[in-house]
Amino acid sequence: MSNNFYKTSILPFAGIIIKLCRAYTNSQEDFEDYYQEVCLQIWRSKENFRKESEWSTWVYRISLNVCLTLLKKKKNNGQHFVSDALPAEDTDDNYAFADESLNLLYDAIRKLSEIDRAIIMLYLEEKSYQEIADIIGTNPNNIGVRIKRIKIRLKKILDGKIN
Amino acid sequence: MEKSIENIWKEGFLKKDVLVVPNLNDFYNKKSIHIIDKFKRMFRINLIVAVIFALVSLVITTINGLPIIGVSWFLILIGLVVVNKKLLKGLEKIDYHVSSYEYLISFNKWLQEQLAINRKMARLYYPLFFFSIVIGFWFVDAEGVSLGERLVGEVLYGFPNTYLVNGVPLIGIILVLTIASLLALFGGEIYNFDVKIIYGRMFKKIENLITELEELRR
């Protein structure tokens, strides 16, 4: 991967890639693996980009697909990994953010299903329903309802009603 | 007032150094070591399979009255295993602690040398396999006489003018030598084809990884 490609085509989106990868991992080591794999896949797939969507949509889609694939691989390998069934306390201490509220929110997001995690992350990144639907590959009409449900669930988790 | 998740998100990421971009290089270290370890495992398994095949073919051919084939195959295969085991020792000497690129280049160098040696050997052992089959069947017992002698008898019965060299039809000798020569000539290509089937995908992965790293180094 050329440095130039990384700087101009990946680095501007590093923020969302990092945020997405963090939602699917619970240790610094896993996170770095996911981030690097995402970058590599974006670079590998650059030839397939047909400008039918924004480059950012393309980047988010690849990031999400890589995260879901790696998560599936980890689960298949029987590796200890965050899933719906795993309590949020299993996240490494040194993996936490300085902001305690943000940590609680991330822990709550990690309790969601894999797709709900992606939807809420993209919503929080202020992506439009259409863009979220394009990235996830679903109907934009359903996104609004889904987001509402996810927010209610997150609120419940944050209030300590589900844990 | 209680914060909304949108606010937690926004405020959480407003602070400096919240999003630290990880270093990309370690990925290649892990990936190259993983691919090469996988190759080593496959290589070792192939050597074990060759030994098992040599032993099984020795037993089966001996039981079925074809000991020449069994013994020949056993010796050829064991010879191949010994040579490749020695080559594998060279692979163990490759230093893990150099950069991924250097590690992959060293591995690739070892791989090309190993393939070249095996390609040369293939030009010898494919004809040897063939000769062992011909000779093995020639001497197999066919109702008190060897199958070869019986065949010669039948050929002479049908074609009395057949020219013999030491009791063997010249046409047969020419045919066997032609096939053996073709095997010697194309042994390298046959070996390449064999290797491609077993290791092709892995070689491609290594090649791609080296290309990626070369692009990264530019």
Side-chain angles (χ1 to χ4, degrees), chain A residues 13 16 20 24 53-66 68 115 117-119 121-123 125-140 143:
Chain A
F13 307 99
I16 183 83
L20 266 173
Y24 292 94
S53 61
E54 292 288 316
W55 172 252
S56 58
T57 307
W58 178 259
V59 168
Y60 300 147
R61 202 181 286 157
I62 293 173
S63 308
L64 184 61
N65 289 342
V66 170
L68 295 178
I115 296 299
R117 272 184 246 182
I119 293 173
M121 302 283 296
L122 294 167
Y123 163 77
E125 283 298 302
E126 297 177 338
K127 301 292 152 202
S128 68
Y129 289 178
Q130 182 61 54
E131 207 174 345
I132 296 174
D134 282 348
I135 294 165
I136 307 284
T138 184
N139 189 332
I143 295 291

Side-chain angles (χ1 to χ4, degrees), chain B residues 103-125:
Chain B
Y103 181 63
L104 279 168
I105 292 291
S106 308
F107 173 76
N108 209 30
K109 194 172 163 246
W110 172 86
L111 188 66
Q112 296 312 321
E113 284 169 3
Q114 188 263 122
L115 289 173
I117 293 169
N118 274 295
R119 238 188 322 267
K120 276 182 196 161
M121 288 199 301
R123 299 181 72 173
L124 181 70
Y125 64 71

Side-chain angles (χ1 to χ4, degrees), chain A residues 33 36 40 44 123 151, chain B residues 6 9 23 27 30 212:
Chain A
D33 279 352
Q36 286 158 355
L40 197 64
R44 275 183 176 157
Y123 163 77
K151 281 172 75 177
Chain B
E6 289 87 345
W9 189 260
N23 188 343
F27 172 74
K30 284 180 192 163
E212 279 166 22

Side-chain angles (χ1 to χ4, degrees), chain B residues 204-218:
Chain B
K204 192 87 203 141
K205 270 187 190 171
I206 293 165
E207 211 177 279
N208 287 342
L209 208 53
I210 291 175
T211 314
E212 279 166 22
L213 284 167
E214 275 171 351
E215 280 205 38
L216 260 178
R217 286 162 70 93
R218 262 182 237 144

Side-chain angles (χ1 to χ4, degrees), chain B residues 40-143:
Chain B
K40 281 185 196 169
R41 266 202 309 277
M42 276 179 79
F43 196 78
R44 280 197 194 99
I45 290 169
N46 275 352
L47 293 184
I48 294 166
V49 169
V51 172
I52 293 169
F53 183 74
L55 288 167
V56 169
S57 62
L58 180 65
V59 172
I60 291 175
T61 52
T62 307
I63 289 169
N64 290 294
L66 296 160
I68 294 175
I69 296 179
V71 172
S72 309
W73 285 23
F74 180 80
L75 292 175
I76 297 167
L77 284 168
I78 295 301
L80 280 175
V81 169
V82 170
V83 171
N84 278 287
K85 194 101 182 46
K86 270 193 178 169
L87 290 171
L88 192 63
K89 274 187 188 163
L91 182 58
E92 306 295 346
K93 285 178 194 156
I94 295 177
D95 189 0
Y96 262 100
H97 303 97
V98 290
S99 73
S100 322
Y101 179 72
E102 284 163 9
Y103 181 63
L104 279 168
I105 292 291
S106 308
F107 173 76
N108 209 30
K109 194 172 163 246
W110 172 86
L111 188 66
Q112 296 312 321
E113 284 169 3
Q114 188 263 122
L115 289 173
I117 293 169
N118 274 295
R119 238 188 322 267
K120 276 182 196 161
M121 288 199 301
R123 299 181 72 173
L124 181 70
Y125 64 71
Y126 281 124
L128 283 177
F129 273 121
F130 176 67
F131 277 132
S132 71
I133 293 169
V134 173
I135 295 168
F137 277 103
W138 183 273
F139 288 107
V140 76
D141 182 61
E143 294 166 6

Side-chain angles (χ1 to χ4, degrees), chain A residues 1 6 18-19 33 35-37 40 43-44 97 99 101 106 121 123-126 151 155, chain B residues 2 5-6 8-10 12-13 15 18-24 27-28 30-31 212 215-216:
Chain A
M1 190 184 330
Y6 180 67
I18 291 171
K19 288 171 191 172
D33 279 352
Y35 179 82
Q36 286 158 355
E37 186 69 24
L40 197 64
W43 174 68
R44 275 183 176 157
F97 292 106
D99 186 321
S101 306
Y106 252 102
M121 302 283 296
Y123 163 77
L124 290 170
E125 283 298 302
E126 297 177 338
K151 281 172 75 177
K155 180 118 185 29
Chain B
E2 200 184 325
I5 61 163
E6 289 87 345
I8 296 173
W9 189 260
K10 265 183 204 159
F13 286 111
K15 285 161 198 160
V18 177
L19 297 170
V20 181
V21 180
N23 188 343
L24 277 175
F27 172 74
Y28 290 96
K30 284 180 192 163
K31 201 146 189 161
E212 279 166 22
E215 280 205 38
L216 260 178

